[in-house]
Amino acid sequence: MVRIYVTRCLPEDSVSLLQKTGLEVLMRSTDDAVPREELINGISGCTALICMLTDKIDKEVLDAAGPNLKVIATVSVGFDHINLDECRKRNILVSNTPRVSTDAVAELTVGLLLATSRRLMECVNAVKNGDWKSWGLLWMCGTELRGSSVGIFGLGRIGIAIAARLQSFGVKQFYYTDIVEVPQASKFGAEKVDLDNLLSKSDFVIINCALTAETRGLFNEETFAKMKKNSFLINAARGGVINQKDLYKALTSGTIRGAGLDVTDPEPMEKDDPLLTLNNCVILPHIGSNTIETRTEMANLAVNNVLAALDGKALLTQVPY
């Protein structure tokens, strides 16, 4: 018996795709993270798994699934929550949802940059708290993108989409750091530089890289010291790239001017994290791809990857291992 386990409720369109197959589908009715014990019990004997970025799919989970598990489809671009080595040993196919969220994440990143540099959260709180007394010449002044330099660390699809959107704000110069030359960079006149130059030249530093052994904790006290004192750090990629204790020191000491984070480490962030006390740090709950359109498209792609695997066809977006 083919059985598909889904760790969270999916959009109606995706549910309809599954129902049309007539296969047995075990799908949780809520949108909260599946408890570990429930995941281990639910996956037992299943042929396919549709999971989320928050679900840790390790050896213990794969052991619990048993030999019937043939495919894992994660509703996310990232797949560092899945033990690919164990999947390879067991010939379990893995898919993700790349490219689908590019526009949504790029839009959110630009919005986060503006919220940080123009102090939007401070302004909202000032209105709510009754601190808006009268017009002031220098009250709540932020920083413009016009005439600025923007450095993008990791110029992939999302980085290119971010740069394309920022062009209209009158950015003077784009820089990027990547392991390869990116031909599309010429469209917005971006100059390829090493990380040290990116940090020292940029008014806005946007992190847009994957989380790897090389990038984990890369943005730390030493890195922040190389940035301009009036610069802003924006991260909508992976929380683990930043050493958050060092970031707190940089923000409180004036080493950098501000930071905007859509990702943290851990997630969810602890309520007593000192970064939450700072006016010059805007923190969002990892909502980069949170649009109805994108989330539905992501879920549909995950479902179609599972159906392709069960039908003996190539996955639409297979994760190489």
Side-chain angles (χ1 to χ4, degrees):
M1 171 68 73
V2 174
R3 185 186 306 155
I4 303 171
Y5 183 63
V6 188
T7 63
R8 297 198 190 196
C9 61
L10 298 179
E12 290 184 8
D13 285 358
S14 309
V15 173
S16 179
L17 286 174
L18 287 172
Q19 289 176 337
K20 289 178 181 178
T21 65
L23 300 174
E24 182 180 359
V25 179
L26 304 176
M27 182 171 65
R28 298 179 71 244
S29 59
T30 61
D31 195 25
D32 59 327
V34 58
R36 181 73 173 178
E37 185 176 352
E38 184 179 338
L39 171 61
I40 289 173
N41 291 333
I43 199 175
S44 178
C46 286
T47 316
L49 169 67
I50 297 177
C51 65
M52 311 294 153
L53 189 64
T54 52
D55 304 324
K56 187 176 182 180
I57 311 302
D58 55 13
K59 184 177 185 298
E60 182 184 20
V61 172
L62 297 176
D63 285 343
N68 289 338
L69 187 62
K70 303 301 180 187
V71 58
I72 298 173
T74 181
V75 188
S76 63
V77 178
F79 45 83
D80 46 282
H81 56 297
I82 301 173
N83 189 323
L84 295 182
D85 287 338
E86 286 294 327
C87 290
R88 182 180 64 252
K89 292 175 185 177
R90 302 162 194 249
N91 293 317
I92 299 171
L93 299 173
V94 179
S95 71
N96 63 340
T97 56
R99 297 182 292 278
V100 177
S101 62
T102 298
D103 290 330
V105 175
E107 287 179 8
L108 187 281
T109 304
V110 173
L112 179 58
L113 185 154
L114 292 172
T116 305
S117 63
R118 293 299 303 270
R119 304 172 64 181
L120 298 189
M121 302 306 295
E122 287 183 79
C123 293
V124 169
N125 289 332
V127 175
K128 290 182 176 180
N129 297 333
D131 296 330
W132 181 20
K133 304 301 183 183
S134 63
W135 185 86
L137 181 64
L138 299 178
W139 187 63
M140 288 295 178
C141 286
T143 300
E144 293 184 14
L145 273 162
R146 177 173 57 92
S148 68
S149 55
V150 174
I152 301 177
F153 183 68
L155 195 65
R157 287 185 297 270
I158 294 174
I160 291 169
I162 292 169
R165 285 158 173 78
L166 289 178
Q167 269 189 301
S168 62
F169 287 89
V171 171
K172 183 178 181 180
Q173 179 65 53
F174 286 98
Y175 300 103
Y176 77 97
T177 299
D178 209 310
I179 57 176
V180 296
E181 294 279 350
V182 180
Q184 295 94 320
S186 61
K187 294 180 180 179
F188 40 91
E191 179 184 346
K192 186 177 186 294
V193 295
D194 60 25
L195 179 57
D196 284 354
N197 273 297
L198 181 99
L199 297 171
S200 65
K201 292 174 179 288
S202 302
D203 299 306
F204 298 89
V205 174
I206 301 174
I207 299 173
N208 187 50
C209 64
L211 180 62
T212 65
E214 290 74 24
T215 61
R216 181 175 292 279
L218 179 62
F219 282 78
N220 52 33
E221 184 175 11
E222 180 181 352
T223 310
F224 301 139
K226 297 174 182 178
M227 295 174 63
K228 292 183 177 181
K229 286 193 176 298
N230 285 325
S231 65
F232 294 86
L233 178 69
I234 307 298
N235 185 17
R238 287 290 178 267
V241 177
I242 293 178
N243 181 313
Q244 289 174 189
K245 291 182 179 180
D246 288 355
L247 177 61
Y248 177 81
K249 293 178 184 177
L251 291 170
T252 54
S253 66
T255 302
I256 63 174
R257 187 168 182 178
L261 311 176
D262 183 44
V263 289
T264 61
D265 185 21
E267 292 183 357
M269 178 178 255
E270 298 293 338
K271 291 189 293 184
D272 60 353
D273 192 295
L275 284 173
L276 294 172
T277 67
L278 303 181
N279 285 329
N280 60 342
C281 187
V282 177
I283 300 176
L284 302 178
H286 201 156
I287 58 169
S289 63
N290 287 37
T291 68
I292 294 172
E293 298 85 352
T294 291
R295 287 296 172 89
T296 299
E297 195 173 350
M298 290 171 68
N300 286 351
L301 178 54
V303 169
N304 284 322
N305 271 314
V306 165
L307 298 183
L310 296 180
D311 198 29
K313 299 178 180 177
L315 302 189
L316 301 175
T317 51
Q318 183 170 346
V319 174
Y321 54 61

